[in-house]
PDB file of all heavy atoms in Angstrom:
ATOM      1  N   SER Q  62      99.351 102.814  60.884  1.00  0.00           N
ATOM      2  CA  SER Q  62      97.937 103.111  60.959  1.00  0.00           C
ATOM      3  C   SER Q  62      97.144 101.816  61.139  1.00  0.00           C
ATOM      4  O   SER Q  62      97.716 100.670  61.113  1.00  0.00           O
ATOM      5  CB  SER Q  62      97.420 103.629  59.573  1.00  0.00           C
ATOM      6  OG  SER Q  62      97.972 104.855  59.343  1.00  0.00           O
ATOM      7  N   ALA Q  63      95.879 101.948  61.444  1.00  0.00           N
ATOM      8  CA  ALA Q  63      95.020 100.741  61.490  1.00  0.00           C
ATOM      9  C   ALA Q  63      94.904 100.122  60.120  1.00  0.00           C
ATOM     10  O   ALA Q  63      95.092 100.762  59.122  1.00  0.00           O
ATOM     11  CB  ALA Q  63      93.645 101.179  61.935  1.00  0.00           C
ATOM     12  N   THR Q  68      89.333 101.742  60.664  1.00  0.00           N
ATOM     13  CA  THR Q  68      88.836 102.885  61.445  1.00  0.00           C
ATOM     14  C   THR Q  68      87.404 103.195  60.950  1.00  0.00           C
ATOM     15  O   THR Q  68      86.555 103.526  61.907  1.00  0.00           O
ATOM     16  CB  THR Q  68      89.776 104.098  61.185  1.00  0.00           C
ATOM     17  OG1 THR Q  68      91.110 103.656  61.435  1.00  0.00           O
ATOM     18  CG2 THR Q  68      89.453 105.271  62.207  1.00  0.00           C
ATOM     19  N   GLU Q  95      94.766 100.810  65.696  1.00  0.00           N
ATOM     20  CA  GLU Q  95      96.172 100.932  65.666  1.00  0.00           C
ATOM     21  C   GLU Q  95      96.863 100.021  66.661  1.00  0.00           C
ATOM     22  O   GLU Q  95      97.971  99.675  66.524  1.00  0.00           O
ATOM     23  CB  GLU Q  95      96.562 102.409  65.899  1.00  0.00           C
ATOM     24  CG  GLU Q  95      96.645 103.348  64.676  1.00  0.00           C
ATOM     25  CD  GLU Q  95      95.312 103.659  64.062  1.00  0.00           C
ATOM     26  OE1 GLU Q  95      94.249 103.398  64.651  1.00  0.00           O
ATOM     27  OE2 GLU Q  95      95.295 104.267  62.938  1.00  0.00           O
ATOM     28  N   PHE Q 157      98.093 107.795  65.395  1.00  0.00           N
ATOM     29  CA  PHE Q 157      96.739 108.347  65.574  1.00  0.00           C
ATOM     30  C   PHE Q 157      96.315 108.578  67.071  1.00  0.00           C
ATOM     31  O   PHE Q 157      95.411 109.320  67.336  1.00  0.00           O
ATOM     32  CB  PHE Q 157      95.784 107.351  64.873  1.00  0.00           C
ATOM     33  CG  PHE Q 157      94.288 107.754  64.778  1.00  0.00           C
ATOM     34  CD1 PHE Q 157      93.911 108.972  64.359  1.00  0.00           C
ATOM     35  CD2 PHE Q 157      93.300 106.754  65.111  1.00  0.00           C
ATOM     36  CE1 PHE Q 157      92.524 109.185  64.222  1.00  0.00           C
ATOM     37  CE2 PHE Q 157      91.972 107.060  64.980  1.00  0.00           C
ATOM     38  CZ  PHE Q 157      91.597 108.238  64.526  1.00  0.00           C
ATOM     39  N   ARG Q 171      91.352 112.324  61.518  1.00  0.00           N
ATOM     40  CA  ARG Q 171      91.520 111.340  60.457  1.00  0.00           C
ATOM     41  C   ARG Q 171      92.853 111.539  59.744  1.00  0.00           C
ATOM     42  O   ARG Q 171      93.257 112.659  59.536  1.00  0.00           O
ATOM     43  CB  ARG Q 171      90.349 111.336  59.482  1.00  0.00           C
ATOM     44  CG  ARG Q 171      89.007 110.942  60.073  1.00  0.00           C
ATOM     45  CD  ARG Q 171      88.994 109.626  60.817  1.00  0.00           C
ATOM     46  NE  ARG Q 171      89.447 108.445  60.018  1.00  0.00           N
ATOM     47  CZ  ARG Q 171      88.623 107.622  59.436  1.00  0.00           C
ATOM     48  NH1 ARG Q 171      87.264 107.774  59.493  1.00  0.00           N
ATOM     49  NH2 ARG Q 171      89.049 106.555  58.786  1.00  0.00           N
ATOM     50  N   GLY Q 172      93.510 110.497  59.418  1.00  0.00           N
ATOM     51  CA  GLY Q 172      94.835 110.548  58.791  1.00  0.00           C
ATOM     52  C   GLY Q 172      95.899 110.951  59.787  1.00  0.00           C
ATOM     53  O   GLY Q 172      97.056 111.227  59.435  1.00  0.00           O
ATOM     54  N   GLY Q 173      95.620 110.855  61.102  1.00  0.00           N
ATOM     55  CA  GLY Q 173      96.436 111.352  62.171  1.00  0.00           C
ATOM     56  C   GLY Q 173      97.703 110.544  62.381  1.00  0.00           C
ATOM     57  O   GLY Q 173      98.611 111.062  63.099  1.00  0.00           O
ATOM     58  N   SER Q 174      97.856 109.407  61.778  1.00  0.00           N
ATOM     59  CA  SER Q 174      99.156 108.671  61.927  1.00  0.00           C
ATOM     60  C   SER Q 174     100.263 109.488  61.219  1.00  0.00           C
ATOM     61  O   SER Q 174     101.437 109.397  61.647  1.00  0.00           O
ATOM     62  CB  SER Q 174      99.073 107.298  61.345  1.00  0.00           C
ATOM     63  OG  SER Q 174      98.117 106.566  61.976  1.00  0.00           O
TER      64      SER Q 174
HETATM   65  N1  LIG W 522      93.456 105.089  61.249  1.00  0.00           N
HETATM   66  C1  LIG W 522      93.249 106.522  61.199  1.00  0.00           C
HETATM   67  C2  LIG W 522      92.343 106.903  60.063  1.00  0.00           C
HETATM   68  O1  LIG W 522      91.887 106.087  59.340  1.00  0.00           O
HETATM   69  C3  LIG W 522      94.517 107.262  61.172  1.00  0.00           C
HETATM   70  C4  LIG W 522      95.405 107.112  59.920  1.00  0.00           C
HETATM   71  O2  LIG W 522      95.164 106.182  59.159  1.00  0.00           O
HETATM   72  O3  LIG W 522      96.306 107.875  59.766  1.00  0.00           O
HETATM   73  O4  LIG W 522      92.032 108.100  59.928  1.00  0.00           O
END
Side-chain angles (χ1 to χ4, degrees):
S62 294
T68 311
E95 272 73 9
F157 186 48
R171 295 306 303 264
S174 300

